[in-house]
Amino acid sequence: MRGLDHVPESQNFEGRFGRMFRHLKPALHLEDDLKALGTAMTADADKPTPETKNPRDDEENTGISAGYTYFGQFIDHDLTFDPSTLAQQKSDPEAIVDFRTPRFDLDNLYGRGPDDQPYLYDFQDDGTIKMQLGDPLTGNSNDPDTRDLPRRGQGDPQFALIGDKRNDENVIVSQLQGIFLRFHNRMLNVHKQKGLPTDFDSVRKVVQFHYQWVVVHDFLPTIIGWDMLHRIFPHIGAQSSILEYKPRLRFYHPKKDPFMPVEFSVAAYRFGHSMVRPLYRLNERDDLSSHPHDPRPHIFPDLKAFGKFRSDYAIDWRLFFDFGNDAEPFSKERIQPAYKIDTSLVSPLRHLPAPITGEQPPSLAQLNLRRGLKLKLPSGQDVARAMGVPVIPDELLRVGKANEDGQGDGSLEKPGTNQSILSISENFRDNAPLWFYILAEAQQQYVDDDTPICLGPVGGRIVGETFAGLLFGDKNSFLHTPGWHPYPEFLSNGEFGIPQLISQAMLSEK
């Protein structure tokens, strides 16, 4: 992300990126210690999953469906979209002055708009504007109208014509991008049917509002829990509006425009890396189980994108989100859970392909830890103290999977097989990297394999306040339209979340 390598430490200035805890000193670590910790956090090999031999996968998080891992990636690309040209990047390498602030405005979908990027759009004879779609995809009988992203070029690769190229990084986030393209088209059709404004800006605004609603009312409570959500957004619990109860931001205080806290972008929001599964079932075909970042297609079918993928890769979203289907727990039709938020990453993330990392070593855990050192993040313990949250003892900051074998009962007396961070290096005593601490904090919630795990008080507060601050600081967000709610016909059992948005997108041709 352009500008992230230069984050002002001044307590009186922030640019595109800033610090939530400016007064805390950076945590100092040795490169060798971080390398050892990253290696210990990543599995050497992954065991069979319920789709193969194992009747139960104790690394699965019963409270979070697998689709939220990639919806979180989609949201990240929306917040960190960089629309500048190469010339602008060279003339403004630190991205400090006169640069747009992060917003939940789907600019990863709309790019710079139909005037500047007309090739993203499908201009209708009646003057309305739809989003361009790609070729049909097969394999999902539940959605025979599934479409790939629009692409350019002949042969392989065929690059996607979309607002943010990163949303073609893997097959799953690529098809989420396609869902949002179709949701815009569905919204246009609904406006035509209801006699509502059909100009591009009006339709885009309502699409953005529905997306922002899903972020606040579905994604956030799934990741940080309802209790933390109500603490930060008291108007939701009170069933009121921000005119009555403004968001409670204890630590996120922009002096000017909203900024992206590095504690969020480099540490807290990287919780999703621990949620990645080793395998995914895409649709009803038996042979489509794979990993989106695995560079070894001779072992599993390759789900990396950045180019046209197999036409039978249409994703059945009922396998990724809860649409209320009653599939058997370990059948092919079940909802695949995400992996638990803990201090363990699956083995394919040990060997990322070079085009993703751009540097060596290609281990995601090591890259995250090194980035935290480079950006001078404070330790997890210092952030906890600054928040007034009880600090987790070093001996309970454990490296490994949150299951009965690894975690034990969570006590010092029965610690399980997971080693303390101090066994990696004594230099981590009261000095844990913030990203690791946030994962270990979530891991403290482990009781048994049926207990859902979300972010803890430090990680949940950073993520929740950043989202709230960005939305509240954007005068064009739905928070500043008191009383706004999703369209009633879009609701299911009175709710509108990502499953309902996907369901509406599937009706885009109607």
Side-chain angles (χ1 to χ4, degrees):
M1 293 177 288
R2 192 171 68 89
L4 182 56
D5 288 338
H6 182 94
V7 182
E9 295 183 64
S10 167
Q11 297 192 25
N12 299 311
F13 180 81
E14 67 245 351
R16 182 188 181 195
F17 291 90
R19 299 185 185 276
M20 189 177 286
F21 300 95
R22 296 181 179 90
H23 62 288
L24 296 182
K25 68 181 188 300
L28 300 180
H29 298 108
L30 299 176
E31 288 271 359
D32 287 346
D33 289 345
L34 295 180
K35 182 178 180 180
L37 178 58
T39 299
M41 291 178 66
T42 311
D44 289 320
D46 298 300
K47 61 186 180 182
T49 67
E51 285 83 7
T52 54
K53 300 178 180 179
N54 194 349
R56 180 179 179 90
D57 188 343
D58 57 9
E59 296 170 37
E60 293 179 337
N61 192 350
T62 58
I64 303 180
S65 303
Y68 287 97
T69 309
Y70 296 92
F71 185 39
Q73 184 182 22
F74 179 90
I75 293 170
D76 174 67
H77 293 173
D78 177 34
L79 293 177
T80 62
F81 176 62
D82 187 345
S84 58
T85 65
L86 179 61
Q88 289 171 326
Q89 294 176 26
K90 289 182 177 179
S91 64
D92 178 22
E94 294 178 347
I96 296 174
V97 181
D98 297 331
F99 200 84
R100 62 183 300 280
T101 56
R103 296 186 179 93
F104 294 91
D105 55 5
L106 289 175
D107 49 9
N108 57 342
L109 189 73
Y110 294 116
R112 296 188 298 271
D115 292 334
D116 197 23
Q117 293 180 295
Y119 49 84
L120 300 181
Y121 298 88
D122 184 4
F123 296 87
Q124 305 294 295
D125 292 338
D126 61 3
T128 58
I129 301 177
K130 288 187 173 182
M131 305 302 297
Q132 286 276 15
L133 302 177
D135 295 336
L137 296 175
T138 63
N140 177 17
S141 59
N142 185 54
D143 182 18
D145 296 322
T146 302
R147 304 285 288 276
D148 188 15
L149 301 177
R151 298 185 181 277
R152 67 181 179 188
Q154 300 295 325
D156 185 29
Q158 294 182 21
F159 296 105
L161 294 172
I162 53 178
D164 186 341
K165 63 182 180 181
R166 295 174 299 169
N167 278 359
D168 195 32
E169 179 179 291
N170 61 67
V171 171
I172 303 174
V173 76
S174 176
Q175 292 194 51
L176 265 179
Q177 174 87 2
I179 283 293
F180 276 87
L181 294 174
R182 296 169 67 192
F183 184 66
H184 172 96
N185 295 348
R186 167 62 174 164
M187 189 66 72
L188 175 59
N189 290 340
V190 168
H191 275 221
K192 288 180 178 180
Q193 296 163 9
K194 299 176 69 171
L196 296 172
T198 57
D199 62 281
F200 175 73
D201 287 336
S202 296
V203 176
R204 175 172 59 179
K205 180 178 180 179
V206 178
V207 171
Q208 290 168 340
F209 275 21
H210 280 80
Y211 159 66
Q212 292 167 1
W213 180 278
V214 170
V215 168
V216 173
H217 291 84
D218 185 359
F219 180 77
L220 264 187
T222 299
I223 298 303
I224 72 174
W226 282 103
D227 182 61
M228 181 64 76
L229 183 80
H230 289 160
R231 293 183 194 177
I232 297 172
F233 290 95
H235 76 280
I236 295 178
Q239 298 183 344
S240 183
S241 75
I242 62 169
L243 294 178
E244 296 279 339
Y245 301 95
K246 293 183 179 180
R248 293 175 180 166
L249 305 179
R250 296 176 54 199
F251 306 104
Y252 181 73
H253 302 295
K255 297 183 184 299
K256 296 180 181 179
D257 293 326
F259 66 91
M260 182 68 69
V262 288
E263 297 90 344
F264 169 88
S265 60
V266 181
Y269 203 65
R270 301 194 180 205
F271 68 87
H273 296 162
S274 69
M275 294 167 56
V276 173
R277 297 174 55 88
L279 295 174
Y280 292 90
R281 176 173 293 280
L282 296 185
N283 55 42
E284 55 207 39
R285 289 192 50 171
D286 288 336
D287 61 335
L288 293 186
S289 293
S290 186
H291 188 280
H293 299 299
D294 199 313
R296 302 165 295 171
H298 63 285
I299 297 180
F300 303 114
D302 190 5
L303 294 193
K304 297 190 309 295
F306 285 135
K308 193 170 185 177
F309 46 82
R310 283 173 46 170
S311 62
D312 57 354
Y313 270 16
I315 289 179
D316 187 344
W317 294 108
R318 296 174 299 179
L319 305 179
F320 288 81
F321 295 103
D322 185 2
F323 288 82
N325 44 306
D326 297 322
E328 292 296 322
F330 302 112
S331 68
K332 294 190 298 184
E333 294 78 23
R334 75 178 188 125
I335 305 169
Q336 300 164 104
Y339 266 23
K340 293 168 183 169
I341 303 176
D342 59 20
T343 57
S344 175
L345 278 64
V346 295
S347 63
L349 299 182
R350 177 185 292 271
H351 300 291
L352 293 181
I356 292 180
T357 65
E359 59 179 298
Q360 298 292 332
S363 161
L364 185 57
Q366 291 178 15
L367 290 170
N368 285 344
L369 293 167
R370 289 167 56 193
R371 178 53 62 88
L373 176 66
K374 183 177 181 181
L375 270 295
K376 301 180 180 180
L377 293 185
S379 71
Q381 290 91 338
D382 281 350
V383 172
R385 278 187 281 265
M387 285 187 170
V389 174
V391 175
I392 302 171
D394 294 314
E395 291 75 14
L396 295 181
L397 295 176
R398 301 208 176 102
V399 186
K401 301 176 177 66
N403 56 28
E404 185 175 359
D405 291 340
Q407 197 72 359
D409 65 0
S411 69
L412 291 172
E413 292 74 22
K414 297 181 179 179
T417 58
N418 288 345
Q419 58 184 325
S420 162
I421 191 175
L422 297 182
S423 66
I424 304 294
S425 173
E426 275 290 326
N427 295 326
F428 290 125
R429 185 174 293 279
D430 198 35
N431 189 39
L434 182 58
W435 175 61
F436 172 87
Y437 187 94
I438 287 170
L439 296 180
E441 176 189 63
Q443 195 162 331
Q444 297 297 307
Q445 302 173 57
Y446 176 81
V447 176
D448 54 46
D449 294 329
D450 295 319
T451 303
I453 293 179
C454 61
L455 289 177
V458 171
R461 174 67 69 173
I462 293 174
V463 170
E465 286 204 13
T466 300
F467 276 40
L470 296 179
L471 282 165
F472 189 61
D474 177 9
K475 300 305 179 183
N476 294 313
S477 78
F478 85 102
L479 286 182
H480 292 281
T481 304
W484 186 88
H485 285 79
Y487 288 168
E489 61 267 38
F490 290 1
L491 304 183
S492 174
N493 296 321
E495 297 181 352
F496 184 77
I498 189 64
Q500 289 75 29
L501 187 150
I502 293 172
S503 295
Q504 289 301 314
M506 290 179 181
L507 302 174
S508 58
E509 301 303 314
K510 299 180 180 179

